[in-house]
């Protein structure tokens, strides 16, 4: 289960969660309508509209997830936040044509929903003039939902990371370019676009300033992550396998573990009992454990009992994302029940640095 999130159900093996902060938005919409003197009925209608809108966002995320599934890529979950939905795909496909399909599948869902609502409204003679768009009220429910889906599709197709459009652009560029190069160009186009938005926004619609800033900030973080990931294309766990690592007994004391940590550059230790890996102990758990239990306690008390187990041929991109998603710095490489070694984040980062032609960070 996911922290701070409510489990809503699953479809095609993909679980859907709603983060608790999402309910703040629902409550806020209700209060806004209520306080404007519209009464609770309108408040409810406003809240219902937001729920319907976010229902469409979930369908959008399923568009990505189900297309990815077609290419054999699992999705951990779909979580709804106040800013939108997130489908946590284990990785993006390496083939540009497949990445293009996965990126387009989300906005395509909104286009289809808008199309269905358009036909529904047309056949009921309920199409409104464009000037009515701002009016979010109960009686225009379906019209507003149609408009919102058009906006969702257009907004997501802005060719800038972290939008779907950024991925579309990268995928199109990657048909002819190296993936890392394609990512770099896509990121730069996105940031340039963000600056243009902010600039234009000052003279036209202030919302553009807001959207521009959002893209610019989002693009920065995404750019680092994306270019790191694309540097890992073609590598597997075996390329950074570490066979020299420290094994600890579950009964080893914190004191001893801390002492060992000081004498090594390792990210953490593997806790082994009878030749079986029982868990991992990273710096973070060790520090937490020390303050909680004191230095004579055994390490099994705080070790992570849910280590990430990977195969030698697992794409490194997938390992990297797995580690980030689980907030761990090392994974165990196991084949046929045999612990072959570990892959740690330091090794992956070094590979990324080499691949990008950067200087290696110094370790003291
Ligand atoms: Zn999307």
């Amino acid at each position: 289960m996911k922290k701070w999130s409510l489990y809503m159900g699953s479809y095609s093996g993909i679980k859907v969660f709603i983060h608790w902060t999402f309910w703040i938005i629902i409550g806020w919409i209700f209060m806004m309508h209520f306080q404007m003197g519209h009464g609770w009925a309108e408040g409810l209608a406003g809240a219902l509209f937001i729920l319907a809108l976010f229902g469409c966002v979930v369908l959008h995320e399923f568009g990505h997830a189900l297309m990815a599934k077609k290419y054999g890529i699992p999705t951990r979950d779909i979580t709804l936040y106040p800013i939108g939905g997130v489908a946590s795909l284990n990785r993006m496909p390496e083939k540009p044509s497949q990445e293009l399909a996965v990126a387009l599948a989300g906005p395509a869902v909104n286009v289809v929903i808008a199309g269905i609502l358009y036909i529904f409204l047309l056949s009921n003679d309920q199409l409104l003039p464009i000037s009515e768009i701002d009016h979010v009220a109960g009686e225009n429910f379906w019209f507003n939902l149609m408009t919102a889906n058009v906006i969702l599709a257009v907004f997501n197709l802005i060719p800038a990371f972290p939008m779907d459009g950024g991925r579309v652009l990268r995928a199109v560029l990657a048909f002819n370019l190296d993936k890392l190069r394609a990512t770099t160009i896509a990121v730069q186009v996105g940031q340039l676009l963000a600056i243009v938005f902010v600039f234009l926004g000052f003279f036209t619609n202030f919302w553009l300033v807001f959207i521009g800033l959002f893209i610019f900030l989002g693009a920065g973080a995404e750019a680092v992550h994306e270019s790191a990931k694309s540097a890992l294309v073609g590598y597997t766990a075996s390329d950074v396998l570490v066979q020299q690592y420290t094994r600890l007994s579950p009964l080893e004391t914190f004191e001893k573990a801390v002492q060992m940590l000081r004498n090594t550059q390792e990210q953490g230790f593997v806790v082994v009992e009878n030749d079986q890996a029982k868990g991992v102990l990273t710096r973070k758990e060790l520090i937490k454990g020390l303050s909680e239990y004191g230095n004579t306690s055994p390490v099994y008390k705080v070790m992570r009992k849910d280590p990430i187990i990977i195969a030698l041929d697992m794409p490194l991109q997938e390992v990297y994302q797995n580690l980030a998603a689980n907030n761990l710095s090392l994974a165990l490489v196991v084949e046929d029940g045999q612990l072959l070694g570990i892959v740690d984040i330091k090794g992956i980062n070094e590979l990324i640095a080499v691949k990008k032609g950067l200087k290696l960070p110094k370790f003291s």
Side-chain angles (χ1 to χ4, degrees):
M1 288 293 108
K2 247 179 113 105
K3 254 187 187 171
W4 306 115
S5 299
L6 187 66
Y7 175 60
M8 297 306 289
S10 77
Y11 176 76
S12 193
I14 301 159
K15 293 185 176 121
V16 179
F17 293 93
I18 296 185
H19 197 256
W20 71 272
T21 49
F22 175 79
W23 301 109
I24 293 176
I25 289 283
I26 299 295
W28 180 67
I29 296 283
F30 182 82
M31 285 305 288
M32 242 184 27
H33 281 276
F34 193 78
Q35 282 189 334
M36 285 192 304
H38 292 154
W40 64 269
E42 279 233 2
L44 208 62
L48 258 181
F49 179 76
I50 295 296
L51 279 177
L53 179 61
F54 274 81
C56 295
V57 172
V58 169
L59 293 176
H60 169 114
E61 300 306 332
F62 266 109
H64 293 306
L66 293 178
M67 187 60 86
K69 195 179 176 184
K70 218 183 101 181
Y71 300 126
I73 299 168
T75 298
R76 270 195 314 280
D77 60 68
I78 289 174
T79 304
L80 214 47
Y81 299 92
I83 46 145
V86 174
S88 305
L89 272 59
N90 269 12
R91 63 190 165 88
M92 280 306 272
E94 290 187 14
K95 269 194 191 156
S97 58
Q98 296 185 352
E99 180 176 33
L100 186 64
V102 171
L104 284 176
V109 168
N110 297 113
V111 171
V112 169
I113 296 173
I116 291 170
L117 289 173
Y118 180 81
I119 293 166
F120 167 76
L121 290 166
L122 198 66
S123 60
N124 284 290
D125 224 7
Q126 283 182 12
L127 276 179
L128 297 173
I130 214 96
S131 55
E132 292 285 312
I133 278 177
D134 282 343
H135 193 69
V136 181
E139 54 184 319
N140 299 329
F141 191 90
W142 299 112
F143 180 82
N144 291 326
L145 199 59
M146 178 188 78
T147 313
N149 271 284
V150 172
I151 292 171
L152 272 178
V154 172
F155 184 67
N156 276 291
L157 284 173
I158 294 172
F161 284 113
M163 308 300 173
D164 296 333
R167 280 174 213 292
V168 170
L169 177 61
R170 194 256 301 268
V172 169
L173 288 169
F175 277 115
N176 289 311
L177 296 169
D178 161 53
K179 191 134 187 202
L180 191 53
R181 184 90 194 98
T183 306
T184 311
I185 295 175
V187 165
Q188 285 166 347
V189 169
Q191 287 183 326
L192 186 71
L193 205 61
I195 294 168
V196 171
F197 275 10
V198 171
F199 185 74
L200 282 180
F202 277 117
F203 300 103
T204 55
N205 189 334
F206 203 73
W207 267 102
L208 270 181
V209 175
F210 182 73
I211 292 171
L213 284 176
F214 173 77
I215 291 176
F216 196 83
L217 294 176
E222 188 84 2
V224 172
H225 190 65
E226 279 301 319
S227 64
K229 262 177 24 194
S230 53
L232 295 176
V233 169
Y235 291 92
T236 63
S238 63
D239 292 310
V240 289
L241 180 75
V242 179
Q243 282 166 307
Q244 303 260 314
Y245 57 92
T246 309
R247 293 164 168 238
L248 284 182
S249 145
L251 295 173
E252 201 65 82
T253 61
F254 282 153
E255 194 174 23
K256 185 80 187 295
V258 170
Q259 213 175 47
M260 290 169 82
L261 199 64
R262 285 212 186 97
N263 298 323
T264 172
Q265 287 174 6
E266 288 174 58
Q267 299 295 298
F269 304 122
V270 183
V271 181
V272 178
E273 189 179 38
N274 301 331
D275 261 353
Q276 291 281 313
K278 293 290 172 191
V280 296
L281 189 71
T282 65
R283 285 168 191 266
K284 208 168 40 199
E285 279 89 42
L286 214 70
I287 290 162
K288 191 179 132 218
L290 259 184
S291 59
E292 225 169 281
Y293 298 100
N295 52 15
T296 52
S297 301
V299 294
Y300 75 81
K301 284 207 165 156
V302 288
M303 68 181 189
R304 289 276 298 254
K305 294 181 183 93
D306 56 343
I308 298 173
I309 311 260
I310 58 173
L312 259 184
D313 61 354
M314 185 185 246
L316 210 45
Q317 233 187 5
E318 205 171 323
V319 180
Y320 182 69
Q321 267 178 288
N322 246 329
L323 287 173
N326 290 289
N327 206 4
L328 268 167
S329 52
L330 64 89
L332 307 178
V333 182
V334 175
E335 295 266 314
D336 303 320
Q338 278 272 94
L339 180 61
L340 297 185
I342 61 165
V343 165
D344 66 17
I345 198 76
K346 203 183 86 193
I348 297 179
N349 283 335
E350 279 172 358
L351 179 66
I352 291 169
V354 170
K355 192 74 194 300
K356 285 161 75 174
L358 301 172
K359 264 193 200 150
L360 284 176
K362 280 200 187 99
F363 294 98
S364 55

